[in-house]
C-alpha cells in the first residue's frame, strides 16, 4: 500500500490528507490495503482519511468482541483529537461503526456501511475454516467476491496463515460469534445519524435483503447498489464506490 503506517501511542494507523475526518474500519479478514481506492481518492477531495489497524488479535480473549472494538475506536478518536467524524466500515468494520455511533452519537457526523454485519451474516458459510486445507480457504476467499480473481494469492495466503495460527483462529471465531450475538435490529430505529448504505447486489456473506433491512430500520439512510459485486464493493468496484460515496457526501454537505 502506498501510505505509510504510523505507530503512535497504542495505535497503528494510516493518515493521509487534510480536512473532514473520514475514518475507515476494516473487516475481520480485511487488511488496511482493502481500502486503497478510498485512501487515494478522498484526500484530493478535502478529506483527512484515517485507517486505524483494529487490534483484532491483540485484545485478551474475553475482550475480543464488537463492543471492545467500538470502545477502542472511541479512544482512537479522542487520541487524535477529532470530532464530527465520518465512519466508513466494511463487514465487521461496519458493525463496529454502527455500535460506536449508537454509543457515542455526538462524535459521529455520518456513517457509511458496506457489507456490514449487525443484522445477519453467514461469515463461516457452511462450516468453520478447515485448518490446513488451502483449497477450501481459497474457495471461501473467492466466494466473498463476485469475481473470484479479486481474491489474489496474497489475500488467500493471509487468510490461510490466520486460520492456521491457533490463537488467531480462536479469536476469529470469538469475534464472529460476538458479531452474530450482537444483533442491532432493536437499536437501529433510534439511531438518527445520516447513513449511506452501499451494497453489492451479489453479496453472499451479507445478502441484499440485509441492506434493505438496514435501510428500513435506520431513520435517515440512503441505499445504493453496485451490480456484479460481492461483499467488498470498495475492492471490487473502487471507482463506482468512490463516486457513490462522494456524491452522497456532497449532497448531504459533509
Amino acid at each position: 500500500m502506498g501510505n505509510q503506517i504510523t505507530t503512535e501511542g497504542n495505535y497503528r494507523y494510516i493518515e493521509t490528507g487534510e480536512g473532514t475526518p473520514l475514518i475507515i474500519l476494516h473487516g475481520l479478514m480485511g487488511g488496511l490495503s482493502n481500502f486503497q481506492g478510498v485512501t487515494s481518492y478522498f484526500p484530493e477531495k478535502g478529506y483527512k482519511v484515517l485507517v486505524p489497524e483494529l487490534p483484532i488479535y491483540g485484545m485478551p480473549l474475553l475482550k475480543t468482541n464488537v463492543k471492545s472494538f467500538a470502545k477502542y475506536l472511541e479512544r482512537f478518536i479522542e487520541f487524535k483529537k477529532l470530532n464530527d467524524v465520518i465512519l466508513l466500515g466494511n463487514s465487521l468494520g461496519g458493525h463496529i461503526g454502527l455500535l460506536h455511533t449508537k454509543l457515542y452519537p455526538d462524535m459521529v457526523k455520518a456513517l457509511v456501511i458496506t457489507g456490514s454485519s449487525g443484522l445477519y451474516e453467514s461469515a463461516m458459510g457452511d462450516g468453520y475454516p478447515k485448518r490446513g486445507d488451502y483449497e477450501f480457504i481459497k474457495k471461501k476467499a473467492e466466494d466473498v467476491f463476485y469475481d473470484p480473481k479479486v481474491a489474489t494469492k496474497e489475500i488467500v495466503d493471509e487468510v490461510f496463515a490466520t486460520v492456521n495460527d491457533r490463537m488467531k483462529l480462536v479469536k476469529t471465531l470469538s469475534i464472529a460469534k460476538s458479531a452474530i450475538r450482537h444483533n442491532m435490529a432493536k437499536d437501529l430505529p433510534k439511531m438518527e445519524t445520516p447513513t449511506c448504505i452501499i451494497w453489492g447486489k451479489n453479496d453472499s456473506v451479507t445478502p441484499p435483503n440485509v441492506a434493505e433491512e438496514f435501510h428500513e430500520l435506520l431513520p435517515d439512510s440512503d441505499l445504493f447498489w453496485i451490480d456484479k459485486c460481492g461483499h467488498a464493493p470498495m475492492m471490487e468496484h473502487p471507482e463506482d464506490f468512490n463516486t457513490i460515496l462522494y456524491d452522497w457526501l456532497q449532497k448531504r454537505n459533509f
Side-chain angles (χ1 to χ4, degrees), residues 63-115:
K63 288 194 170 175
T64 302
N65 56 50
V66 179
K67 194 168 185 181
S68 291
F69 295 127
K71 290 182 170 177
Y72 176 88
L73 173 59
E74 188 265 340
R75 293 194 298 273
F76 175 72
I77 292 170
E78 292 277 0
F79 175 76
K80 291 298 294 177
K81 298 183 171 58
L82 302 171
N83 47 43
D84 285 342
V85 303
I86 299 164
L87 297 180
L88 159 56
N90 172 240
S91 200
L92 175 73
H95 199 163
I96 293 165
L98 282 158
L99 184 57
H100 179 279
T101 302
K102 181 207 159 189
L103 295 173
Y104 312 101
D106 296 343
M107 279 186 162
V108 183
K109 176 158 70 173
L111 180 62
V112 186
I113 56 173
T114 178

Side-chain angles (χ1 to χ4, degrees), residues 6 9 11 15 28 49 52 71 84 88 92 128-129 146 161 170-171 205 230-231 240-241:
T6 301
Y11 306 100
E15 180 177 341
L28 180 53
V49 177
K71 290 182 170 177
D84 285 342
L88 159 56
L92 175 73
Y128 292 128
Y146 176 80
V170 167
K171 289 189 173 181
V205 181
H231 187 55
D240 292 346
F241 184 89

